[in-house]
Amino acid sequence: TKLNDVKLSLDAYYHSNNKMIENDQHLKDYSVGLNISDENFALLARVKKSDIGNAYGLFGQYDITRDAYNNENLSYLAQISCKNNLSQNNALSILAGYNKYGQNVEASHSTLGTINSNYEEASYFSQLDLISQSLNDNELLIGARYESAKTLQAAWTAPIPFVSSPNSSRDTVSVYLNDKYSITQKLDVTAGLRYDKYSDFGNSFSPTLGLVYRATDKVKLKALYSQAYRAPSWIELTANPDFQAETSDSKEVGVIFKQNHSNTIRINAYMIEIDDLITQPVRAYVQNSENYFYG
């Protein structure tokens, strides 16, 4: 609904099933969201709760009973944002938010018995973006983000540490720059660079480069290359503090055929190479040398 210049929306969903395919795959998932916005300001909030079955069983072993299995997840999110046009070609966007997540697990294991886990974390984040079209044929984005996350509770009754330390915390500072330059009416080049610094791990640079060529009014060709970096999670660092960060190289090419406003065909091909991949093949986390994904 709309109240004067303010838009108000409320949404909710509920999804449930009771699947049992060799093991417990039940699902109860529901959420309620609120969004209030006008021309410059927006407030959104969401509550989401789920109870899910463990599709592959704890430690890769099927659940031996449904009487002692429970995996409840509860999330809260609140975010406020403001966008202001500083001039005809420059806009400033600011947002801040809070996110809280909790998980309670009860599961049966053939040798370890009943295992209980209680986990809760919270994070605050803020972001500032400047979008500028002051330079001819350029669309420039300059931004920064700060996030502070902390474990509120972490308890695990099994002897293997599959939850993070209860004292985990992480501050992350990110700055980024991205520019889209129209070389001609047919060719756009996009280049970007992002820097992330983690208080508990390290820092990284992540570049991107993209090309879009409008061959005809209906056909576009695109190519994209990017690098990415993922610091080990708290759970992974608790299991092995010597883990290195995962890094990836991604390459993508594609064709977009837009026949009209109602019909579009997109064909994409990509290859992703990940180095120092962290996996959990059995009961412990390991870091493999590399892996490839094609699609």
Side-chain angles (χ1 to χ4, degrees), residues 150-163:
K150 183 179 181 180
T151 297
L152 303 178
Q153 180 182 3
W156 176 254
T157 59
I160 308 169
F162 278 89
V163 296

Side-chain angles (χ1 to χ4, degrees), residues 7-26:
K7 295 180 181 178
L8 172 65
S9 64
L10 179 70
D11 71 87
Y13 71 82
Y14 176 76
H15 182 200
S16 175
N17 69 54
N18 197 33
K19 291 181 181 178
M20 190 73 180
I21 307 174
E22 291 191 50
N23 57 340
D24 191 352
Q25 298 185 28
H26 76 270

Side-chain angles (χ1 to χ4, degrees), residues 49-270:
K49 186 175 183 179
S50 64
D51 182 354
I52 61 177
N54 192 339
Y56 297 99
L58 196 63
F59 304 139
Q61 296 188 16
Y62 290 154
D63 302 320
I64 58 177
T65 175
R66 299 187 92 180
D67 297 332
Y69 184 81
N70 187 46
N71 184 352
E72 291 186 351
N73 300 265
L74 181 61
S75 299
Y76 303 92
L77 170 67
Q79 176 181 296
I80 187 170
S81 60
C82 172
K83 186 175 182 180
N84 186 30
N85 293 324
L86 303 176
S87 65
Q88 183 177 359
N89 296 319
N90 298 282
L92 186 67
S93 175
I94 303 173
L95 67 83
Y98 171 77
N99 191 13
K100 185 177 180 181
Y101 168 74
Q103 181 189 45
N104 294 314
V105 174
E106 180 185 18
S108 293
H109 190 267
S110 58
T111 58
L112 298 176
T114 300
I115 297 175
N116 292 281
S117 172
N118 296 288
Y119 179 79
E120 197 172 68
E121 70 177 31
S123 62
Y124 301 87
F125 57 89
S126 59
Q127 184 171 314
L128 175 67
D129 290 332
L130 173 65
I131 303 98
S132 176
Q133 295 179 329
S134 297
L135 300 175
N136 290 337
D137 301 320
N138 283 266
E139 183 176 308
L140 181 65
L141 167 66
I142 303 174
R145 181 182 175 90
Y146 171 75
E147 182 170 354
S148 179
K150 183 179 181 180
T151 297
L152 303 178
Q153 180 182 3
W156 176 254
T157 59
I160 308 169
F162 278 89
V163 296
S164 66
S165 164
N167 301 315
S168 295
S169 63
R170 174 178 288 175
D171 295 334
T172 308
V173 177
S174 306
V175 292
Y176 42 91
L177 171 70
N178 192 83
D179 185 41
K180 184 178 77 170
Y181 175 49
S182 298
I183 298 178
T184 67
Q185 291 184 344
K186 289 182 172 291
L187 180 63
D188 293 339
V189 177
T190 300
L193 183 64
R194 181 185 179 98
Y195 172 77
D196 297 296
K197 180 176 178 59
Y198 297 83
S199 62
D200 64 338
F201 190 77
N203 55 70
S204 72
F205 286 94
S206 303
T208 61
L209 178 64
L211 298 172
V212 175
Y213 178 69
R214 287 173 284 276
T216 68
D217 293 340
K218 295 183 178 181
V219 178
K220 292 181 182 179
L221 307 176
K222 68 174 185 178
L224 176 67
Y225 171 78
S226 65
Q227 294 181 358
Y229 169 99
R230 187 186 78 84
S233 69
W234 288 338
I235 298 176
E236 293 163 350
L237 286 176
T238 301
N240 188 340
D242 295 327
F243 276 154
Q244 302 297 312
E246 293 181 350
T247 60
S248 70
D249 286 315
S250 301
K251 305 175 184 69
E252 180 181 350
V253 293
V255 179
I256 303 172
F257 175 69
K258 188 172 183 179
Q259 184 181 27
N260 49 49
H261 291 293
S262 302
N263 298 290
T264 302
I265 297 175
R266 295 182 178 90
I267 301 174
N268 291 313
Y270 66 84

